[in-house]
Amino acid sequence: MPQKSLWVGTSWKMNKGPGAARDAAARIADMAVPDTITPFVIPPFTSLETVAARLENTAWHVGAQNMHWEEEGAWTGEISPRMVRECGADLIELGHSERREHFGETDITVNLKVRAAIRHGLRPLICIGDSAEEYEFNVTHETLARQTKMALHGLTTDEITTVLLAYEPVWAIGAKGRAAEPEFVDIAHKRLRHVLIELVGEEQARRVPLLYGGSVSLDNAARYTALSDVDGVFIGRSAWDPSGLEAIIRSVAS
Ligand SMILES: O=C(CO)[C@H](O)COP(=O)(O)O
């Protein structure tokens, strides 16, 4: 059986200013990445242009962590899709649970942003995830289905096949999180694939990469990527140091 192709990448969240980002990007540019891996890195805005310039003409995709849906205007403190593109990014992370929880991001604003991203030629990496309470009350699937359908509302089939979806259980993220059991992720991703199949049919649904994120580490990454409906991992803390990212890339590629 041919080896499956995997997306593997990290968001630096609110870490690495321009100096640290420049150093990290230089190390990333020197990394040997197997052909079966599609690597990506998502720096903070202040480092976006530096990192994108350093990784231009490499296999790396570079993204921003958020953006507004409007092209320009009186939106103090916001960054437009065009600005993200001008910095050299091709990916845009949208709907991370930290933004939903702390900055009022909703399914509706995520949808506005997804549509704006596609209009501007940015590939959306849409984060979805159940809260600890939703997990406890056994409504994970309902939450993931709602977030997915609302994020993709109004998109054509072709547009839907350009997005990446990352399932990140809120209870699995960060130092206080616990990594989801691979068996649980397997079921969640299979049900998520079915949501996509209902939207665009089997063949197109299989073209949408489904990533898992939340306390991914060198110890567990390959257990997720071995699952048939996991097409990659989205890593935080364990990949902030490029050597950690490289070790995980090697572990899932072998
Ligand atoms: O977005 C994430 C990956 O960048 C996610 O929040 C996981 O973070 P981690 O728990 O620190 O891996």
Side-chain angles (χ1 to χ4, degrees):
M1 203 166 72
Q3 212 178 355
K4 76 174 171 180
S5 162
L6 296 168
W7 287 77
V8 182
T10 182
S11 157
W12 290 340
K13 303 199 181 191
M14 199 173 72
N15 296 289
K16 299 194 203 297
R22 193 174 303 113
D23 293 347
R27 290 170 63 195
I28 285 173
D30 286 343
M31 233 181 244
V33 180
D35 289 346
T36 51
I37 303 293
T38 305
F40 64 94
V41 60
I42 306 187
F45 287 125
T46 53
S47 309
L48 187 58
E49 191 172 8
T50 305
V51 173
R54 189 67 181 78
L55 297 178
E56 205 179 349
N57 301 322
T58 69
W60 289 83
H61 294 265
V62 177
Q65 298 176 16
N66 178 39
M67 65 170 202
H68 199 273
W69 58 86
E70 291 290 347
E71 291 189 14
E72 58 189 10
W75 299 97
T76 301
E78 290 292 326
I79 308 284
S80 75
R82 193 185 291 158
M83 292 170 184
V84 171
R85 276 299 298 265
E86 276 176 21
C87 285
D90 64 327
L91 264 186
I92 180 75
E93 178 182 358
L94 297 171
H96 190 280
S97 62
E98 287 152 12
R99 296 215 55 85
R100 293 180 193 254
E101 183 182 349
H102 305 297
F103 301 100
E105 193 88 87
T106 65
D107 290 327
I108 291 173
T109 56
V110 171
N111 176 253
L112 287 169
K113 292 177 182 194
V114 169
R115 293 159 82 138
I118 288 172
R119 274 200 307 277
H120 287 269
L122 288 161
R123 187 165 191 170
L125 167 53
I126 305 166
C127 299
I128 54 174
D130 48 333
S131 67
E133 291 75 21
E134 287 162 341
Y135 172 78
E136 203 178 304
F137 281 80
N138 201 20
V139 293
T140 295
H141 174 64
E142 287 80 352
T143 298
L144 300 189
R146 189 200 73 239
Q147 291 177 338
T148 301
K149 287 181 187 171
M150 289 186 74
L152 302 180
H153 182 76
L155 268 58
T156 64
T157 296
D158 284 350
E159 288 169 343
I160 289 176
T161 60
T162 69
V163 311
L164 300 150
L165 277 178
Y167 170 41
E168 299 206 329
V170 179
W171 43 271
I173 292 173
K176 292 188 183 146
R178 65 168 179 87
E181 290 299 328
E183 295 72 19
F184 182 80
V185 174
D186 189 34
I187 295 167
H189 277 225
K190 284 194 161 71
R191 298 186 77 175
L192 193 50
R193 189 77 73 191
H194 272 280
V195 172
L196 291 170
I197 290 171
E198 278 174 23
L199 291 176
V200 294
E202 173 102 32
E203 196 184 331
Q204 305 302 335
R206 302 236 165 255
R207 293 177 56 199
V208 177
L210 302 183
L211 281 59
Y212 169 75
S215 293
V216 172
S217 68
L218 184 56
D219 290 339
N220 62 24
R223 295 180 64 204
Y224 297 119
T225 56
L227 303 170
S228 59
D229 279 291
V230 172
D231 306 301
V233 279
F234 189 19
I235 317 152
R237 291 155 297 147
S238 298
W240 287 343
D241 187 310
S243 61
L245 177 56
E246 186 169 24
I248 293 177
I249 287 176
R250 286 216 191 111
S251 79
V252 300
S254 58

